[in-house]
Amino acid sequence: PSNITVNNDNGNCSAVVTYSVTSTDNCPGQTVAQTAGLASGAAFPVGTTTNTFLVTDASGNTETCSFTVT
């Protein structure tokens, strides 16, 4: 996913941010696991949070991806 920049919610030092993480592979059966950051729909604090994900395909191959929420 692309990096996300949002303003804090009115009267708060945070903002609720929703996002979607998807993956594609030439064979079905990949899994996506979040390894760092906050879940979609969470209140992200003022500043920068890095969300990192580990994708594993049906053959056990892995790749990571990250994006920031500022």
Side-chain angles (χ1 to χ4, degrees), residues 23-30 55-61:
S23 69
T24 59
D25 192 50
N26 58 339
C27 295
Q30 68 270 11
V55 180
T56 305
D57 72 8
S59 297
N61 300 308

Side-chain angles (χ1 to χ4, degrees), residues 26-55:
N26 58 339
C27 295
Q30 68 270 11
T31 60
V32 179
Q34 187 165 8
T35 60
L38 297 171
S40 178
F44 284 73
V46 171
T48 301
T49 301
T50 301
N51 289 324
T52 304
F53 297 83
L54 176 68
V55 180

